[in-house]
């Protein structure tokens, strides 16, 4: 019995190791720290053996740590990644601002601070890839839709933007919509587009803070951008955002969008692989354009 068990373990060992050798990781990882606005931020760089592009992952709202699973997916597809713990979260220094700690994280000062962190991350990734002639972009979702254009405006190393479910309206307008939908997943079954727009444009604001309009930065940028939307989003008014995007495109901006009618707000982390696959292919096409 002991002989059988020993041989059984040997077979498992050989199978496991053969499997590992047959499917080796095609990227390396490196833990790094970098400085931004007086604090040290901690992250991880994922470097494929043959990278075709690179991105810094920018957080949405909330106390978000580095996105290692998503970075792994991108690295396996040949995209180098720097993902880091948000300011005041995980191993990063600084103070987190957000509703969980009773502070406002959408005022212009905080969004600008987070965009400076993203810009510093781009500089760090650029140094790490100094021998690689590949483009570096910014990728993120939700609140990152306001942060990414601000960071791109600050740093000419940013060559493209990929944004999942990011609003192209002001922060206050987005909050009006979000308060109106109130987390109701069936909102669009009982409300019209006209009804939603009325509230976006006329509802009283529940909070007072210095607003941010993404149009200000987007109208000045000349890099390509991709927005991916879900038609059933109840946090961002998608059709209104697409109209604003189309208006920017008439000014010869290289902005594109892809709409998935049956998806909600979390387009990057839905049950469908299509949005992320589409974004990856779009990023890789930047090399050829």
């Amino acid at each position: 019995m002991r002989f059988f068990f020993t041989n059984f373990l040997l077979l498992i060992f050989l199978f496991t190791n053969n499997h590992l050798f047959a499917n080796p990781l095609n990227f390396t990882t490196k833990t790094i720290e970098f400085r931004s606005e007086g604090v040290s931020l901690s992250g991880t760089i994922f470097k494929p053996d043959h990278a075709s592009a690179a991105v810094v992952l920018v957080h949405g709202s909330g106390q978000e740590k580095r996105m290692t699973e998503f970075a792994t997916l991108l690295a396996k597809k040949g995209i180098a990644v720097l993902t880091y713990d948000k300011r005041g979260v995980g191993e990063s220094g600084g103070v987190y601002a957000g509703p969980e700690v009773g502070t406002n994280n959408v005022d212009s000062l905080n969004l600008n601070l987070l965009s400076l962190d993203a810009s510093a991350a781009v500089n760090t990734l650029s140094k790490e890839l100094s021998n690689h002639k590949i483009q570096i972009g910014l990728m993120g979702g939700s609140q990152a839709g306001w942060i990414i254009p601000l960071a791109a405006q600050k740093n000419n190393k940013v060559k493209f933007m990929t944004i999942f479910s990011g609003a192209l309206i002001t922060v206050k307008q987005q909050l009006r919509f979000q308060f109106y939908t109130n987390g109701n997943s069936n909102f669009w079954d009982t409300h019209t587009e006209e009804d939603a727009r009325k509230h976006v444009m006329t509802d009283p604001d529940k909070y007072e803070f210095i607003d941010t309009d993404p149009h200000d930065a987007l109208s000045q940028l000349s890099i390509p951008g991709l927005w991916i939307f879900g038609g059933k989003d109840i946090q961002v008014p998608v059709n209104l955002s697409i109209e604003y995007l189309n208006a920017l495109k008439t000014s010869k901006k290289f902005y594109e969008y892809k709409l998935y009618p049956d998806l909600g707000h979390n387009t990057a982390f839905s049950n469908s692989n299509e949005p992320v696959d589409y974004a990856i292919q779009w990023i890789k096409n930047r090399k050829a354009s």
Side-chain angles (χ1 to χ4, degrees):
M1 183 69 175
R2 181 180 298 174
F3 174 80
F4 172 78
F5 184 71
T6 302
N7 279 274
F8 178 70
L9 289 177
L10 179 62
L11 285 171
I12 292 177
F13 175 80
L14 289 172
F15 174 80
T16 303
N17 278 274
N18 285 336
H19 179 72
L20 288 174
F21 285 125
N23 297 280
L25 290 176
N26 60 348
F27 63 88
T28 59
T29 61
K30 178 181 178 181
T31 301
I32 52 94
E33 290 188 357
F34 60 97
R35 301 287 297 179
S36 175
E37 300 303 298
V39 304
S40 177
L41 303 178
S42 182
T44 305
I45 290 177
F46 292 69
K47 187 188 293 186
D49 297 338
H50 304 287
S52 58
V55 297
V56 166
L57 297 182
V58 181
H59 309 94
S61 62
Q63 301 182 57
E64 295 192 15
K65 295 183 179 181
R66 68 196 78 181
M67 295 173 264
T68 53
E69 289 187 14
F70 193 55
T72 297
L73 185 154
L74 295 173
K76 286 180 177 179
K77 299 291 187 178
I79 298 174
V81 181
L82 193 166
T83 179
Y84 57 97
D85 295 339
K86 196 175 190 175
R87 173 178 290 261
V89 179
E91 297 178 20
S92 287
V95 177
Y96 166 76
E100 299 94 333
V101 294
T103 58
N104 188 1
N105 70 345
V106 290
D107 65 76
S108 64
L109 289 176
N110 191 56
L111 293 181
N112 184 65
L113 179 60
L114 296 176
S115 74
L116 288 166
D117 291 346
S119 178
V122 168
N123 290 335
T124 301
L125 183 57
S126 178
K127 290 178 182 178
E128 189 70 23
L129 302 173
S130 59
N131 295 325
H132 298 262
K133 294 181 179 180
I134 58 176
Q135 293 190 349
I136 298 176
L138 295 167
M139 172 184 276
S142 195
Q143 189 183 94
W146 294 304
I147 297 168
I148 285 175
L150 292 173
Q153 195 177 27
K154 293 176 173 67
N155 195 326
N156 60 14
K157 294 186 179 73
V158 178
K159 301 302 182 184
F160 61 87
M161 305 174 290
T162 309
I163 300 172
F164 294 90
S165 304
L168 280 96
I169 57 177
T170 72
V171 176
K172 287 185 177 181
Q173 288 172 333
Q174 185 272 330
L175 284 177
R176 292 173 198 162
F177 177 73
Q178 189 171 341
F179 283 128
Y180 183 50
T181 62
N182 197 30
N184 179 10
S185 59
N186 298 318
F187 175 83
W188 289 114
D189 295 333
T190 55
H191 295 79
T192 65
E193 179 73 19
E194 181 181 1
D195 188 30
R197 290 190 183 211
K198 179 181 177 181
H199 282 77
V200 167
M201 297 304 176
T202 63
D203 261 15
D205 295 315
K206 293 192 176 184
Y207 303 110
E208 280 303 320
F209 55 87
I210 299 175
D211 208 355
T212 296
D213 187 345
H215 183 273
D216 295 339
L218 291 172
S219 62
Q220 297 178 42
L221 291 170
S222 58
I223 60 175
L226 171 68
W227 282 256
I228 292 180
F229 295 109
K232 295 183 178 180
D233 199 326
I234 55 172
Q235 294 189 47
V236 170
V238 167
N239 290 330
L240 187 58
S241 290
I242 288 174
E243 282 189 18
Y244 279 75
L245 187 59
N246 284 332
L248 285 164
K249 288 171 64 177
T250 61
S251 301
K252 298 183 179 179
K253 299 297 180 182
F254 302 102
Y255 298 155
E256 305 173 41
Y257 71 89
K258 180 73 172 178
L259 175 64
Y260 292 89
D262 296 327
L263 296 185
H265 186 66
N266 294 322
T267 46
F269 303 103
S270 67
N271 292 328
S272 172
N273 296 327
E274 288 186 33
V276 173
D277 288 343
Y278 186 91
I280 289 172
Q281 191 57 52
W282 184 86
I283 289 172
K284 289 186 172 183
N285 287 342
R286 305 280 62 76
K287 181 180 179 181
S289 61

